[in-house]
Amino acid sequence: MMKILPSSELYSHPNRLLEEHLTGTAKLAELFLSEKPPEVKKQLVDISKIIALSHDIGKSTKFFQDYLNAEDREKERLKTQKKTKHSLLSAVCAYYLSKQITDDKLLPFFAFVTVRRHHSNLIDLSDEVTLYGEEDTVELHHQVESIDDKKFSILADILFKAGFPTLLNKKIIGSWVDNLGEELKLLKKCIRKLDKEPINFITLNLLYSLLLDADKSDVVLKDISLFERKGSIPGNLVDSYQERNSFKDSPINYLREKAYQEIAHNIINLEEKIFSINLPTGLGKTLTSLSFALKLREKIGLNHRIIYALPFLSIIDQNSLVFESVLKSNGIEPYSNILLKHHHLSEIVYKKDNNEEDKNEIEYDGAKILIEGWNAEIIITTFIQLFHSLISNQNKSIRKFHRLSNSIIILDEIQFIPVKYWMVLKKLLLKISEMLNTYIIFVTATEPLIFGKGEIRGLGDRDFYFKALDRIVMKPLLDREMTIDELAQLFEIKDGRSYLFILNTITSARTFYNLIKEAGISTTYLSTHITPRERLERIERIRTGKYKVAVSTQLVEAGVDIDFDVVVRDLAPLDSINQSAGRCNRNGKQKGEVYIVSLKDDQGRLYSSYIYDVVLIDITKKILNRQKEIKESVLLSLIDEYYRETEAKKSQAISSELEDAITNLRYDSNKEGISISDFKLIDNDYYKIDVFIEIDDVAKTIWQRYLDLKYVKNLFERKKLFDLLKADFYQYVISIPANTENRPSLTEGFGYVKQDILEEYYDKETGFKIKDNRTIVIW
């Protein structure tokens, strides 16, 4: 007969014994750490176990147990009281227990910080050692005294057997509390003398990430089998797909196939960690990069996750469908544990393959945990999600940090990384590739000089492919600045060719569209003031040839698979112009033309000046003004020249300050200078509000479902229901300047334009109506 072990009768969560949660978290942290490089596992396995086993030990106080068992109204009152908090007491235990297993001075402090902040965000570590005071000591003693001796004795015994180096009791913890103030003072010097390398930053982030992921996963899922890996994805997956989907013989398809074979079957040296696929637009970089990554993964032999990151939401679905097709054509069902999309509007649906078809969909709470924890073999995500996991002080963002270890990161359209972050990202990417066994693949038609030629392995003969193409001729018309009216007179759009006009602001794009739409030729318009659902529908109609003319802002600049005979681009930095040129004659059917113009508004100000850096514009104009016509074959040399000039003239001061914050572990601070929390991949230099456009009956139904959420009293249930709705909801949401004259009134947190007043606020052709006379620079 099996012996039933005694329970502490202490709880971490309703119906969850504290010892079960602590040991469950430790098992998951150990599982997650088992996927990391041997050196990392060796360094962190013991300290990570201490952190996991101690992170909620402060919940053993009578104050927390009373809070857990209280009625809802009383629980709300107790929740705000300091004596109910558990993180600081747990952090004290984590610190002293860690000191018993390592001579390293920083690791125990990292354990303290990790546990102290596991329900909040990281702060400046120099503040972490000064915030503790006499009042905290008194409060901690009250908490320790409140602990039930008998119950704690059972808990301590279980944790000792699970890995604690000491059998804890209240007396030991009390002595630790007495000494903590002095201990923290001694750590000040350590913090001031940190190495000027991001090693400590990566180590602390890794410990913090492991605890956050293991903690949240154990609370919601409990079942460790849900994290079993599906590693058997063959390296020749894309090869097989290509063989089943042969393409017509043509010069462009010949080059696509040649580039694919050269890059996808490149000799792999595992000592090289950073690669580049630099090919002209339209040469199949998406499939080529996936194929190389799968072969690299197979060669490594450690089931590296593939993280495929893109700058914009608008192209995630497009590329995800390509990946799904590759998997399905090889008989692999793209369940969520194989292929996962993750961004802020992701559907909360997670399906895992198993033997019971009717049980393969994980319930909402579990699905959310698995999705946000990147539990898949191939993850398709955004630059925002990826780089804010790498550089952040936020609990939710850093949770995914440990997934960067033993991964292959594909950075598609890497040119969209702001110049000011080049240096700091270069140093961090180099360090995680070294410390965390991470491989990085840059994918672009316009490769920025983040890395020098000797620091990155080029895959494929980029010079050959750029010189081999003759699809377009670029014609700069920069000898004079012109108005929107003059642009409308410049081209004969009824000549039988298709035209794409890419303008810099919503104001200029809308004005130009209204001028030419009366020409009696099928014309469409794209900007972010059109609802996302309608934008996608218009892009699909463009693909099928429904329109001869399209007027757009920069949202079609990269990754959007559309093709025109003529592209006209308002002046922009040269890398943006090159991306725009990629929407012209992509398949090489006939010679395409790309015109560069410089548009000005009624006050004589260039539209380019509203959104682009004047230094980048000046560099571009200097390069383009040297010749009347530019062949596609010379674009590569011009782009290289542009980036050399950019690197020389653009300051890396922000990178330097951010690097200083990283090496000094200044996560969030009120001191002068930049903190890690100041990192923003995309700057919002204007105030905006989100507006729901009730454009049709479907939107009306969705809005009503949103309004009904206010009747759900439980906050967590309400958030859950909105998560299930938001993918559809945001198909009807646009962002507008907050100070526009005709801003719709706010309803439940959103601007709201109902159907019966739609015409007052929204034009079905050009989107939201801005009534004040000013240039709208948002795309």
Side-chain angles (χ1 to χ4, degrees):
M1 192 171 176
M2 190 166 63
K3 183 179 179 182
I4 299 175
L5 296 174
S7 157
S8 70
E9 297 181 9
L10 296 168
Y11 289 84
S12 61
H13 305 82
N15 303 314
R16 180 72 161 159
L17 284 166
L18 181 53
E19 58 263 31
E20 289 178 357
H21 173 55
L22 294 176
T23 55
T25 301
K27 287 174 184 175
L28 279 173
E30 185 178 19
L31 175 65
F32 298 156
L33 190 59
S34 71
E35 299 177 354
K36 313 309 176 204
E39 301 80 10
V40 172
K41 285 187 284 189
K42 183 178 179 182
Q43 180 195 16
L44 301 183
V45 63
D46 293 331
I47 202 88
S48 179
K49 178 175 279 191
I50 296 294
I51 288 170
L53 288 174
S54 62
H55 79 279
D56 273 354
I57 200 169
K59 289 183 174 181
S60 57
T61 68
K62 183 179 185 300
F63 303 119
F64 184 85
Q65 294 299 308
D66 287 346
Y67 155 77
L68 207 58
N69 294 316
E71 296 295 330
D72 288 347
R73 183 174 293 182
E74 176 65 5
K75 186 172 283 190
E76 284 300 311
R77 186 186 69 82
L78 293 173
K79 186 177 181 178
T80 59
Q81 295 189 1
K82 195 171 182 180
K83 63 184 179 182
T84 307
K85 309 294 183 185
H86 67 279
S87 294
L88 181 56
L89 181 57
S90 301
V92 173
C93 295
Y95 174 74
Y96 282 98
L97 289 165
S98 298
K99 283 190 70 175
Q100 295 177 20
I101 63 166
T102 179
D103 293 328
D104 189 296
K105 291 184 178 179
L106 276 177
L107 281 180
F109 183 49
F110 288 175
F112 175 86
V113 171
T114 294
V115 174
R116 177 79 180 92
R117 300 295 165 189
H118 78 277
H119 286 301
S120 55
N121 300 317
L122 295 175
I123 64 169
D124 186 343
L125 259 67
S126 65
D127 289 338
E128 196 74 79
V129 297
T130 60
L131 289 177
Y132 182 84
E134 182 61 33
E135 184 181 326
D136 294 302
T137 301
V138 173
E139 194 64 60
L140 286 172
H141 272 301
H142 285 158
Q143 289 182 314
V144 174
E145 290 162 9
S146 78
I147 296 172
D148 183 291
D149 290 278
K150 183 179 178 181
K151 292 178 179 180
F152 190 76
S153 175
I154 296 170
L155 175 67
D157 185 57
I158 293 170
L159 297 179
F160 180 66
K161 290 172 181 174
F164 270 3
T166 293
L167 185 62
L168 287 187
N169 58 48
K170 289 165 58 175
K171 184 177 180 181
I172 292 172
I173 298 174
S175 67
W176 290 347
V177 169
D178 286 331
N179 296 324
L180 182 63
E182 290 302 315
E183 288 277 341
L184 292 176
K185 285 179 185 177
L186 294 174
L187 285 166
K188 286 182 183 179
K189 291 181 181 178
C190 290
I191 301 300
R192 286 198 295 266
K193 295 180 180 179
L194 289 171
D195 294 330
K196 297 304 175 186
E197 287 288 331
I199 297 171
N200 292 316
F201 169 80
I202 291 171
T203 302
L204 176 53
N205 277 21
L206 200 53
L207 288 170
Y208 190 57
S209 172
L210 286 166
L211 174 61
L212 295 177
D213 200 11
D215 181 23
K216 295 176 191 296
S217 298
D218 178 76
V219 169
V220 176
L221 292 164
K222 302 178 182 68
D223 182 2
I224 201 168
S225 69
L226 288 169
F227 298 93
E228 290 175 358
R229 298 285 301 279
K230 181 80 172 181
S232 57
I233 300 179
N236 67 347
L237 214 63
V238 184
D239 295 342
S240 300
Y241 173 78
Q242 297 276 66
E243 289 169 8
R244 294 186 183 95
N245 296 272
S246 58
F247 301 97
K248 294 178 181 179
D249 289 338
S250 70
I252 192 71
N253 282 336
Y254 166 77
L255 287 174
R256 284 170 180 152
E257 179 62 18
K258 179 176 172 58
Y260 176 82
Q261 294 298 332
E262 181 182 357
I263 294 170
H265 297 93
N266 210 292
I267 295 172
I268 295 171
N269 177 0
L270 295 182
E271 295 303 310
E272 295 171 323
K273 295 289 183 70
I274 301 176
F275 303 92
S276 166
I277 298 175
N278 187 188
L279 291 174
T281 56
L283 249 62
K285 294 186 289 294
T286 300
L287 282 177
T288 301
S289 62
L290 176 62
S291 183
F292 179 77
L294 286 169
K295 288 178 170 63
L296 175 60
R297 181 182 194 261
E298 193 170 71
K299 175 90 171 180
I300 298 167
L302 294 175
N303 288 343
H304 273 46
R305 297 175 199 268
I306 295 174
I307 302 170
Y308 185 93
L310 295 148
F312 306 122
L313 278 180
S314 57
I315 48 179
I316 279 190
D317 287 339
Q318 173 184 295
N319 288 17
S320 179
L321 287 172
V322 173
F323 285 18
E324 284 182 23
S325 297
V326 170
L327 290 165
K328 286 180 177 178
S329 74
N330 286 273
I332 300 174
E333 189 63 28
Y335 288 108
S336 305
N337 59 321
I338 302 294
L339 179 65
L340 183 70
K341 280 192 301 183
H342 178 239
H343 49 77
H344 74 288
L345 298 182
S346 295
E347 284 189 280
I348 310 299
V349 176
Y350 190 97
K351 294 184 178 181
K352 190 178 191 298
D353 57 328
N354 58 33
N355 296 324
E356 298 179 76
E357 186 63 29
D358 62 330
K359 294 183 179 179
N360 66 2
E361 185 167 327
I362 309 297
E363 291 185 0
Y364 166 84
D365 291 334
K368 188 173 175 67
I369 288 293
L370 290 166
I371 292 167
E372 293 181 352
W374 286 1
N375 288 280
E377 300 307 309
I378 302 171
I379 300 104
I380 302 179
T381 190
T382 61
F383 280 6
I384 291 285
Q385 291 290 338
L386 175 68
F387 288 112
H388 282 263
S389 296
L390 181 62
I391 306 176
S392 179
N393 75 313
Q394 298 289 311
N395 179 305
K396 185 176 181 179
S397 297
I398 301 177
R399 181 188 156 207
K400 303 185 295 291
F401 180 88
H402 75 95
R403 292 288 183 229
L404 304 181
S405 179
N406 276 12
S407 70
I408 299 167
I409 300 172
I410 302 173
L411 297 171
D412 202 348
E413 308 290 4
I414 187 63
Q415 73 278 359
F416 282 97
I417 298 296
V419 177
K420 63 183 177 181
Y421 292 133
W422 282 7
M423 186 181 76
V424 68
L425 285 175
K426 171 184 174 177
K427 291 192 175 183
L428 276 178
L429 292 174
L430 278 171
K431 189 56 68 174
I432 67 166
S433 70
E434 172 193 323
M435 282 182 66
L436 303 182
N437 195 28
T438 303
Y439 292 80
I440 296 149
I441 306 170
F442 284 6
V443 181
T444 181
T446 51
E447 183 171 87
L449 296 179
I450 297 175
F451 287 90
K453 289 289 186 289
E455 299 173 309
I456 190 167
R457 163 84 182 281
L459 300 171
D461 185 351
R462 70 177 195 142
D463 291 337
F464 168 81
Y465 295 103
F466 277 91
K467 289 176 181 176
L469 287 170
D470 192 24
R471 296 172 295 180
I472 65 163
V473 60
M474 188 177 290
K475 300 180 179 182
L477 304 178
L478 301 175
D479 54 328
R480 67 185 181 92
E481 297 160 3
M482 64 180 74
T483 64
I484 299 291
D485 287 330
E486 289 170 330
L487 175 64
Q489 301 300 318
L490 194 61
F491 296 95
E492 178 49 65
I493 60 175
K494 292 184 179 181
D495 61 6
R497 296 185 295 176
S498 59
Y499 283 78
L500 171 63
F501 294 86
I502 303 178
L503 279 66
N504 283 328
T505 69
I506 285 178
T507 301
S508 59
R510 188 179 59 225
T511 303
F512 182 72
Y513 171 78
N514 286 329
L515 275 176
I516 66 166
K517 71 176 181 177
E518 304 303 332
I521 191 168
S522 55
T523 305
T524 193
Y525 170 84
L526 293 166
S527 84
T528 55
H529 276 190
I530 302 288
T531 60
R533 181 175 294 279
E534 178 62 19
R535 287 205 306 268
L536 291 173
E537 289 175 359
R538 291 182 188 184
I539 288 170
E540 189 55 39
R541 291 196 289 269
I542 289 171
R543 285 198 189 103
T544 57
K546 298 289 185 184
Y547 301 109
K548 296 296 287 184
V549 178
V551 179
S552 179
T553 57
Q554 307 94 304
L555 65 86
V556 298
E557 193 174 275
V560 180
D561 187 13
I562 55 177
D563 197 1
F564 288 83
D565 301 324
V566 179
V567 171
V568 182
R569 180 67 165 93
D570 192 7
L571 183 61
L574 190 58
D575 52 351
S576 294
I577 290 172
N578 189 44
Q579 290 296 325
S580 298
R583 309 313 115 198
C584 182
N585 192 27
R586 288 170 68 83
N587 294 306
K589 294 176 182 177
Q590 57 189 15
K591 184 63 69 72
E593 294 179 338
V594 178
Y595 293 88
I596 315 302
V597 299
S598 185
L599 296 177
K600 60 183 179 180
D601 62 17
D602 293 340
Q603 284 73 47
R605 179 176 174 180
L606 295 182
Y607 284 107
S608 60
S609 70
Y610 284 101
I611 56 173
Y612 293 123
D613 186 294
V614 65
V615 174
L616 302 183
I617 291 295
D618 286 345
I619 294 170
T620 299
K621 287 171 71 175
K622 185 181 81 171
I623 292 171
L624 292 180
N625 277 331
R626 290 202 299 255
Q627 40 201 323
K628 291 184 178 180
E629 292 191 357
I630 301 167
K631 292 183 178 180
E632 186 174 10
S633 57
V634 302
L635 272 176
L636 179 63
S637 62
L638 297 185
I639 290 293
D640 283 348
E641 180 185 352
Y642 167 78
Y643 279 128
R644 285 194 298 272
E645 294 246 10
T646 299
E647 186 179 39
K649 293 185 178 179
K650 286 298 293 176
S651 170
Q652 287 293 305
I654 298 294
S655 264
S656 295
E657 291 181 51
L658 191 55
E659 184 184 356
D660 182 69
I662 286 168
T663 55
N664 287 291
L665 304 176
R666 194 166 60 248
Y667 285 91
D668 194 23
S669 175
N670 292 322
K671 302 184 183 78
E672 288 186 12
I674 287 177
S675 298
I676 292 168
S677 61
D678 293 315
F679 173 72
K680 299 283 186 300
L681 193 66
I682 298 176
D683 288 325
N684 288 324
D685 53 1
Y686 56 88
Y687 292 104
K688 61 181 183 178
I689 63 166
D690 287 339
V691 178
F692 186 93
I693 307 295
E694 197 175 82
I695 198 169
D696 54 28
D697 288 341
V698 175
K700 187 174 184 178
T701 301
I702 289 171
W703 178 255
Q704 188 57 52
R705 287 174 60 195
Y706 173 71
L707 291 182
D708 290 344
L709 295 179
K710 66 185 176 185
Y711 300 113
V712 180
K713 292 183 179 180
N714 185 286
L715 180 64
F716 295 104
E717 182 65 18
R718 194 187 316 154
K719 186 177 185 306
K720 169 183 171 179
L721 290 172
F722 181 66
D723 278 345
L724 294 171
L725 177 66
K726 70 180 180 181
D728 291 329
F729 183 85
Y730 276 97
Q731 287 298 312
Y732 298 94
V733 174
I734 61 170
S735 294
I736 66 167
N739 58 354
T740 186
E741 284 182 12
N742 62 324
R743 189 180 82 173
S745 59
L746 290 177
T747 303
E748 299 298 327
F750 287 86
Y752 171 51
V753 175
K754 61 193 301 187
Q755 254 185 307
D756 57 7
I757 58 168
L758 188 64
E759 289 187 6
E760 184 180 339
Y761 290 97
Y762 192 82
D763 185 299
K764 289 193 175 181
E765 289 185 55
T766 57
F768 193 81
K769 296 178 179 180
I770 299 290
K771 293 184 177 177
D772 37 332
N773 295 318
R774 59 198 176 97
T775 293
I776 306 303
V777 300
I778 182 174
W779 292 2

